[in-house]
Every structure is written in C-alpha cells, then in structure tokens.
Amino acid sequence: MSDQETKAIRLQAKRSQNREHSVPLYLTSSFMFDDAEQARAVFADEEEGSIYSRYSNPNVDELLEKVCYLEHAEDGFAFASGMGAVFASLAALLQSGDHVLACRAVFGSTHQLLTNILPKWGITHSYADANKPEEWESLITPATKLILIETPSNPGLELIDLEWLCALKQKYNLILVVDNCFATPVLQTPIDYGADLVVHSATKYFDGQGRVLGGMAVGSKELIAPIRYFARHTGPALSAFNAWILSKSLETLTLRVEKHCENALQLAQALEGNATLEAVRYPFLPSFPQYALAKKQMRLGGGIITITVKGGYEAARQFIDHLQLVSITSNLGDTRTIATHPASTTHSKLTEAERQATGITPGLVRISVGLESINDIIQDITQALGKVQV
Ligand SMILES: *Cc1c(COP(=O)(O)O)cnc(C)c1O
C-alpha cells in the first residue's frame, strides 16, 4: 500500500516554467500546437498532447493516473459526477438486448438508471440479493453481459464476496463492474480479485470535504477504450478545476479514510446496546451478520454506520431534529459527520416494496462518520437519541 500512497502524494502533472511545487490549474478549453503538422500528429495519436478539455486535460490526467495507481488499474476516464461514470460505462459497454445482473441494494440513481432509463434502449436487468449467493447464478441468462455491484452497499452496508463473484463472472464470461465508492481503494481493490471495471463517485471520500462532484471509471485498457470513446463524444467530462481539487484531496485519502474508520468503529461500539435503538450495523462489529466476510475482504470497516431507531419514521425524525453538531444533509464521506434518513430522502423514489427488499426501514438512519473528535460525535448522537419520545 505504501507505494501507492506515495504516488498519490507525489505524482504530478508537468511543472510550468514557474517551477510551482503544487500543481497549477490548467483552466483552458483547448490546447495549442506548434504548427499544422503537430496538430495533425496529436489528432492522429502519433504524438502525445492535450487537444481539448472534453477529451483530456493535464489536471484530469494527473488525477486519473493517481486513481489508476490506487485501484491497480491500467487506464481510466474521469467524469463530471459518479452517475456520469456509471451511466457512460453501462452505455458504452452494453447493446440493446443485453441484460445486467445487479445487487438489489444499489445507489438510488443507479436504480433509476437500471429501472427507467436503460430499458428505453432495450437493456434489461435483474436484481439479486447480496445475502443469497445461490440466487445469482439462476438469474444469469444468455443475454446477461455485465454484473454491477456495490460492496458495502448504500445504505444497507451489505457485502458481496468479491472472490466468489469473480469466479462466477469468469464461469459465464461476464464483465464485472464494482462501484467502490463506500470502501475506496484504501480498504479494498476489486481489480485484484478479477473485477473488470471500478467506478467511483469522487464526490464522496475522494474529495472528502464536500466541495466538488466527480466520477471515475478505471479498468483494463481494452474496457476503457469504448468508455473513453463514448464519453469524449457525449460530453460528461470532469472539469479541470474539480480535477485539481480532487487530485490534491487524494494526497490525504489514506489518512482520512483510516481516521473515518477509526471513528466509525468507536461510534458503532458506543451505540451498540443503546435502548433507543433497534439495531446498529457496522461491518467491523462482531455482531454484523457478514463480519467474517468484512474481515476477509476489507482492511477496515469503512466510514459509514447505520442505526435503526425504535419507533419508525417519527422516532428517526425526532432523533435527526435533536442533532446539534451532526449535519442533516445527503452527502457522505465528508470530514463532517452527516446524518441522512434514506427512506424519506435519497431512497424516497423507490416503492415501499423496493425499500423493504433493501432493508430501508422507516427507522433507519445512515451516519457518515466524520473526522471531528470522536467524543463530540458520540456525545451529540447519544444526546439526540436520549430526546426521542415515541
Ligand atoms: C453518490 C454515489 C454515486 C453517485 O455519485 P455522484 O457523484 O453523486 O453522481 C454512485 N454510487 C454510490 C455508491 C454513491 O454513493
């Protein structure tokens, strides 16, 4: 790991004649050529060089190179948001008539993409349960081309065994796409197990400070080529400014993620057994149903815990309204601790049945544990729980 961390800190786009230590921001739409012949050569891929920032940009390239190092990937493309990365990857790799097998608990907008948007072009999907491995193989059809998963899932924190799934995808010669947003490469690198493509919402832990949106898709050169072609010509490129911010943020990714995990574990331990709570879920709590898998697959337990407040929506609402330090917002992976009520916000577009199938109960609250003093976080959450009256 230390090699990658060093690269995430030191890797840098070319310095200008000013010999700046921190990388400059290349805020330019297009790039110049010395002469007509050079322009021809760069366009023909005979000579390296940026052409136009929808295609590539030095800040974006620097960021991508770092993410490829961290995820052990050969190549990648950066997008304006995580959903840009998910959509472009699926749209580039799939044809009309293809079928996607996905884990049931996917990010809210990924669910909209699979259920309402891709079907417009004849791309269908099935959902399989993370806890029912036997279900997966039976859902693979001759039309199945790709498997899409999140582990840990949002917000249920369900895990999928990457070693097992890679064996399955190899048996049927499928493309495995892993949304590695919750774990980050600090905790797990799916490509090492055989995953073909890793997608990210850089908006979350990569930025880590709640400032910019961004997305990545990284994998083999062969798989990135059609994604790059699709993205270059449809336009979801990451802005140079956001890439500059994100590249700088990666210098502290390991440090931040380790601290998020340390705080999350301590919070989960402090809340377990709280009389106001029905359940506390955190992958590195021994009471977590997939604890053994979490220990096998993840370096640390991640920065997200979920709690289920006794008394359903009304109790969850009271708990959230009594928070003083913790922010009420829907982002995650921020230095600041955040509480989100998925059933009424991020997952409100799902039907009641869909929410039930993914464990999003009315009392469930997702906590993205930040980097504040753990004593302050525990104090705020326990005082708010103490005020719940139902
Ligand atoms: C936030 C998120 C996304 C979408 O990313 P945006 O940057 O908001 O577009 C995708 N997958 C997961 C798991 C996420 O948490």
Side-chain angles (χ1 to χ4, degrees):
M1 196 63 203
S2 73
D3 233 30
Q4 271 83 21
E5 282 165 39
T6 304
K7 277 173 178 142
I9 291 172
R10 305 270 357 176
L11 198 113
Q12 172 152 359
K14 258 197 221 109
R15 288 190 171 81
S16 78
Q17 71 279 14
N18 296 315
R19 306 185 5 162
E20 57 285 323
H21 185 207
S22 181
V23 73
L25 170 56
Y26 292 96
L27 214 47
T28 177
S29 327
S30 69
F31 298 84
M32 290 173 64
F33 308 104
D34 292 339
D35 50 33
E37 168 50 23
Q38 193 189 35
R40 185 205 63 77
V42 173
F43 268 82
D45 261 340
E46 289 167 17
E47 195 177 313
E48 273 205 22
S50 297
I51 295 172
Y52 187 61
S53 285
R54 169 155 49 79
Y55 275 47
S56 69
N57 172 287
N59 293 115
V60 175
D61 293 347
E62 179 192 284
L63 170 68
L64 267 171
E65 204 175 329
K66 285 184 181 180
V67 177
C68 286
Y69 269 125
L70 292 169
E71 286 289 3
H72 307 166
E74 279 177 2
D75 201 1
F77 196 86
F79 297 86
S81 70
M83 284 321 300
V86 175
F87 173 65
S89 299
L90 297 184
L93 298 175
L94 298 172
Q95 314 270 359
S96 179
D98 286 345
H99 171 259
V100 176
L101 178 58
C103 61
R104 187 177 305 280
V106 286
F107 182 69
S109 289
T110 304
H111 173 72
Q112 296 303 325
L113 185 62
L114 290 171
T115 52
N116 291 324
I117 299 172
L118 290 177
K120 292 206 292 186
W121 297 296
I123 296 167
T124 57
H125 76 284
S126 306
Y127 281 136
D129 264 322
N131 342 330
K132 294 185 193 144
E134 66 287 354
E135 203 177 272
W136 291 66
E137 194 159 3
S138 69
L139 291 169
I140 295 173
T141 75
T144 308
K145 178 97 179 277
L146 183 147
I147 300 179
L148 172 65
I149 63 151
E150 294 174 22
T151 177
S153 69
N154 177 20
L157 303 178
E158 287 174 335
L159 306 186
I160 294 166
D161 187 334
L162 287 168
E163 197 181 328
W164 161 79
L165 190 61
C166 284
L168 184 70
K169 77 104 192 169
Q170 250 150 18
K171 182 172 167 190
Y172 291 92
N173 198 21
L174 306 174
I175 300 168
L176 174 59
V177 182
V178 179
D179 183 331
N180 205 26
C181 175
F182 266 46
T184 81
V186 178
L187 306 187
Q188 73 190 14
T189 40
I191 287 174
D192 292 343
Y193 292 87
D196 300 288
L197 194 74
V198 167
V199 291
H200 269 286
S201 168
T203 316
K204 314 292 169 54
Y205 289 102
F206 281 9
D207 175 28
Q209 288 142 91
R211 296 166 297 188
V212 298
L213 298 185
M216 316 276 151
V218 298
S220 65
K221 278 193 186 328
E222 190 191 346
L223 221 50
I224 292 299
I227 295 171
R228 176 181 289 118
Y229 173 83
F230 179 89
R232 281 183 164 180
H233 300 293
T234 55
L238 180 67
S239 78
F241 180 76
N242 288 7
W244 179 74
I245 297 262
L246 290 166
S247 182
K248 220 45 204 159
S249 302
L250 287 184
E251 295 183 10
T252 56
L253 181 72
T254 303
L255 196 66
R256 286 185 286 108
V257 169
E258 285 176 355
K259 184 67 182 167
H260 281 294
C261 294
E262 189 187 314
N263 277 357
L265 178 62
Q266 286 196 51
L267 178 65
Q269 285 168 340
L271 294 180
E272 210 174 26
N274 185 302
T276 315
L277 295 177
E278 221 165 81
V280 177
R281 279 171 70 86
Y282 183 66
F284 268 34
L285 275 186
S287 60
F288 186 71
Q290 294 173 296
Y291 178 67
L293 176 58
K295 283 284 192 176
K296 173 183 140 192
Q297 180 161 293
M298 297 169 71
R299 256 187 72 218
L300 296 164
I304 312 285
I305 77 165
T306 66
I307 56 177
T308 310
V309 188
K310 285 180 189 162
Y313 177 63
E314 177 52 25
R317 189 189 64 74
Q318 286 183 25
F319 161 66
I320 288 171
D321 288 349
H322 281 113
L323 290 166
Q324 291 170 350
L325 175 78
V326 174
S327 314
I328 308 171
T329 177
S330 61
N331 198 18
L332 61 90
D334 196 294
T335 50
R336 301 166 178 210
T337 301
I338 290 169
T340 306
H341 184 254
S344 64
T345 62
T346 52
H347 291 71
S348 59
K349 303 283 188 303
L350 271 63
T351 64
E352 192 53 47
E354 286 167 343
R355 273 196 295 275
Q356 260 178 16
T358 44
I360 304 169
T361 55
L364 184 88
V365 178
R366 182 184 76 193
I367 298 175
S368 167
V369 185
L371 305 182
E372 304 96 333
S373 150
I374 185 59
N375 296 332
D376 289 335
I377 300 172
I378 292 172
Q379 200 279 329
D380 190 36
I381 289 175
T382 44
Q383 69 76 25
L385 285 172
K387 292 193 177 126
V388 173
Q389 289 179 323
V390 282

